Amino acid sequence: MIELAFSILAADFAHLAEEIATAERGGGTIVHIDVMDGHFVPNITFGPPVVKAVRAVTTLPLDCHLMIENPDEFIPAFGEAGADMIAVQWEACRHLNRTLQLIADHGMKPAVVINPANPIDFLVEVLPMVHHVLVMSVNPGFGGQKFLPRSVERIAQLRRMRHEMGLNFRIEVDGGVAHDTVASVVEAGADMLVAGSAIFEAGKTEENAREFLRVARAAGDLKA
Ligand code: DX5
Ligand code: ZN
């Protein structure tokens, strides 16, 4: 099932509850929350208190993308705050197997994220443990960056690995996914589509989400 995971990084933080409700009216079904610590990435965003506040205003699943050093230290707090899925960066985890297990032990769905510079092959040992793999299609840290075209082949490669291994994890893509790039990632095999700036453009969030999903689903139909 093709889903829009709208990234609140691009939303108006002063009206977060309204922004989330509007993106949901447009068809968004997952709230993507970008957690940045100023160390793993050169930007700082939000942590568990904001996740808790979002949890209080929506029933949609909360997909927390941790761009932080030492994620193990914070996983319990995100669980208590109400996160449903936690994605950790491959590059930030010294003991990735243990970290993914820790996420599952706290009742959340574990996921791994891989940056554009790292081979998809690096994930092979953990694929049986994850709910989804997040393929970064920009270097993490900021919204509004340009989609890196090689991401399409990386998604296709991951889909082939999933088939060969007989697994059924989902494939998420994040960064520069917009009306002009979404068809190519869906055709390659992504079905959890993160989008921030393409959705939260001034005053048109609901229409943006609707149009984004229309294009994505049309590409999905062609693929099927
Ligand atoms: C980037 C974040 C993304 C970001 C995407 O580090 O992980 O989730 O919000 O923003 P857009 O859709 O604007 O590229
Ligand atoms: Zn993200």
Side-chain angles (χ1 to χ4, degrees), residues 60-110:
L60 293 179
L62 307 184
D63 171 28
C64 293
H65 174 190
L66 304 192
M67 287 161 274
I68 64 175
E69 302 286 359
N70 304 319
D72 294 22
E73 282 178 31
F74 298 94
I75 284 164
F78 281 101
E80 278 162 35
D84 298 280
M85 310 175 217
I86 298 268
V88 288
Q89 292 275 160
W90 182 88
E91 300 81 8
C93 298
R94 187 166 291 163
H95 306 288
L96 180 57
N97 184 302
R98 176 184 286 150
T99 301
L100 294 170
Q101 191 57 54
L102 184 67
I103 296 168
D105 289 346
H106 282 81
M108 296 173 284
K109 294 176 176 158

Side-chain angles (χ1 to χ4, degrees), residues 123-150:
L123 301 175
V124 67
E125 295 298 335
V126 297
L127 292 179
M129 301 177 69
V130 297
H131 169 265
H132 63 275
V133 174
L134 171 46
V135 177
M136 286 309 297
S137 40
V138 298
N139 288 294
F142 302 94
Q145 301 182 78
K146 201 171 164 335
F147 179 83
L148 296 170
R150 282 186 58 83

